[in-house]
Amino acid sequence: MFAINDSLRGRDFISIHDFSREEIAYMLEVGAELKRMQKKGIPHQCLAGKTLGMIFQKSSTRTRVAFEVGMYQLGGHALFLSPRDIQIGRGESVPDTARVLSRMLDGIMIRTFAHEEVLELAKWADIPVINGLTDLLHPTQVIGDLMTIKEHKGELKGLKCAYIGDGNNMAHSLLFGGAKVGMDVVIAAPQGYEPDEKVMQLALEDAKETGANLWVVKDPLAAAKDADIIYTDVWASMGQEEEAAEKEQQFLQYQVNSQLMSVAKKDAIVLHCLPAKRGKEITDEVMDGPQSKVFDEAENRLHAHKAIMAVTM
Ligand code: CP
Ligand code: NVA
């Protein structure tokens, strides 16, 4: 098996911003290599005997399956920890939970609402903590997305990615990802739904090193013009169910449809982190069309998550 170096061993994976561009490039390389090995049936059980605890305070299909199957393929074991069953759901504190889990596990993946909860867990845990999505960020998704873009475009630097929709956790992690790999990212969002100012400032700082351009516009067609990648996500994220009806009205112009695709580059690809609300942020025609790579993208969560675990745990 190819040797995974120890440079990131023991590190938390909470935000792409926390890693250097070389470190992000290394994770992408490991992901591609683990994918190649898995496809060829080459054993790659580099986490044999290790265990990952997975705390999910929100629903998940892709993230849960990718971490659980990924851990199995790496020779380890993953435990699904539902807040309905574990004591955190009855009020046991995050610091106490972190200290207990650190005595038994080798890593913790957590998906939750407040980003601060992940930071607190990481502060108290002495094993790596992986952010499986918060209201602020979705970094594991973007490692898989960058792998997918690289597979289809051959490179990342200098590409233009247009994200159409809510300036949410996905938009934030894409900004951080683009900044680290030198990919331009433009966010088209309605007024009041732009990405977080602080995230934008940090990403712009990172982008100085790679030359990536990051900007925000209102006009979705202006964003999509000559884009290499069109990216979208749901208009109402998990936890925003009550705002969904109102947001639907505000986001009507932000649908990824054939009209929007017509201004992007001819060979542009379409990504969506999924789950999608078909007929809302994306039409069936685009999602099932030849430019859509959303299922390659979903598959790459498996390989990306394996890479994240293999380098940190
Ligand atoms: N994209 C993503 O994180 O999907 P799940 O919510 O199904 O994990
Ligand atoms: N923005 C979405 C992403 C789901 C993977 C959400 O937080 O619900």
Side-chain angles (χ1 to χ4, degrees):
M1 206 188 101
F2 80 112
I4 291 175
N5 74 49
D6 285 332
S7 59
L8 296 174
R9 196 85 50 218
R11 288 271 297 272
D12 297 318
F13 183 84
I14 295 178
S15 172
I16 288 178
H17 173 67
D18 300 336
F19 294 87
S20 69
R21 60 187 165 135
E22 291 81 11
E23 289 168 341
I24 295 298
Y26 181 57
M27 285 182 218
L28 297 175
E29 222 176 275
V30 172
E33 181 60 17
L34 290 173
K35 180 172 183 175
R36 191 190 66 81
M37 293 174 93
Q38 194 239 332
K39 298 280 179 202
K40 292 207 152 167
I42 302 170
H44 49 281
Q45 304 206 319
C46 56
L47 294 184
K50 298 218 172 170
T51 46
L52 175 80
M54 308 187 297
I55 303 173
F56 279 96
Q57 306 268 26
K58 291 177 173 175
S59 307
S60 171
T61 298
R62 282 143 287 265
T63 309
R64 177 177 174 184
V65 175
F67 273 109
E68 196 161 331
V69 171
M71 197 49 172
Y72 171 76
Q73 292 181 358
L74 291 172
H77 181 74
L79 296 86
F80 175 66
L81 305 170
S82 156
R84 266 195 297 264
D85 306 325
I86 63 169
Q87 299 286 11
I88 210 168
R90 293 181 56 246
E92 185 168 18
S93 77
V94 169
D96 288 352
T97 304
R99 285 177 288 183
V100 170
L101 294 181
S102 295
R103 299 288 183 108
M104 301 187 200
L105 298 168
D106 301 289
I108 307 170
M109 188 244 84
I110 178 166
R111 165 171 288 198
T112 191
F113 294 85
H115 191 69
E116 293 67 32
E117 194 178 326
V118 178
L119 297 176
E120 195 184 21
L121 189 75
K123 180 177 157 200
W124 289 94
D126 44 30
I127 54 178
V129 169
I130 299 171
N131 176 5
L133 179 148
T134 64
D135 290 344
L136 188 71
L137 298 174
H138 195 6
T140 64
Q141 173 75 48
V142 170
I143 299 298
D145 296 344
L146 294 174
M147 273 182 72
T148 312
I149 297 168
K150 211 167 168 191
E151 283 171 6
H152 287 282
K153 296 283 166 200
E155 48 161 1
L156 295 167
K157 203 172 166 57
L159 295 176
K160 178 185 179 187
C161 175
Y163 173 95
I164 312 294
D166 192 19
N168 60 12
N169 45 9
M170 256 335 304
H172 294 158
S173 284
L174 263 184
L175 286 166
F176 281 140
K180 290 291 174 186
V181 302
M183 177 177 77
D184 296 347
V185 179
V186 53
I187 309 284
Q191 181 142 20
Y193 295 100
E194 299 91 349
D196 182 82
E197 279 283 332
K198 243 167 72 193
V199 167
M200 193 65 183
Q201 284 317 315
L202 289 174
L204 283 168
E205 277 299 310
D206 290 346
K208 282 184 191 157
E209 225 188 305
T210 58
N213 297 298
L214 310 175
W215 72 109
V216 180
V217 296
K218 276 200 190 57
D219 180 0
L221 289 172
K225 190 161 172 26
D226 298 325
D228 299 283
I229 304 112
I230 300 287
Y231 200 116
T232 191
D233 183 15
V234 288
W235 294 333
S237 287
M238 289 181 276
Q240 300 183 336
E241 287 72 16
E242 282 175 12
E243 295 162 50
E246 192 197 326
K247 279 184 117 176
E248 248 175 50
Q249 295 310 309
Q250 285 164 306
F251 281 78
L252 282 176
Q253 304 304 315
Y254 293 80
Q255 185 183 64
V256 173
N257 51 31
S258 51
Q259 190 206 349
L260 185 114
M261 289 309 298
S262 72
V263 302
K265 282 201 183 139
K266 289 240 159 341
D267 63 351
I269 60 167
V270 176
L271 300 181
H272 188 314
C273 58
L274 305 180
K277 286 252 191 259
R278 285 167 175 262
K280 303 292 182 198
E281 76 274 5
I282 189 165
T283 58
D284 283 334
E285 192 187 0
V286 173
M287 180 128 159
D288 298 326
Q291 288 169 281
S292 170
K293 304 299 170 205
V294 301
F295 298 108
D296 292 348
E297 180 187 12
E299 178 192 326
N300 278 337
R301 300 294 301 288
L302 171 67
H303 310 296
H305 295 186
K306 285 168 75 175
I308 292 165
M309 291 189 286
V311 300
T312 60
M313 286 179 60

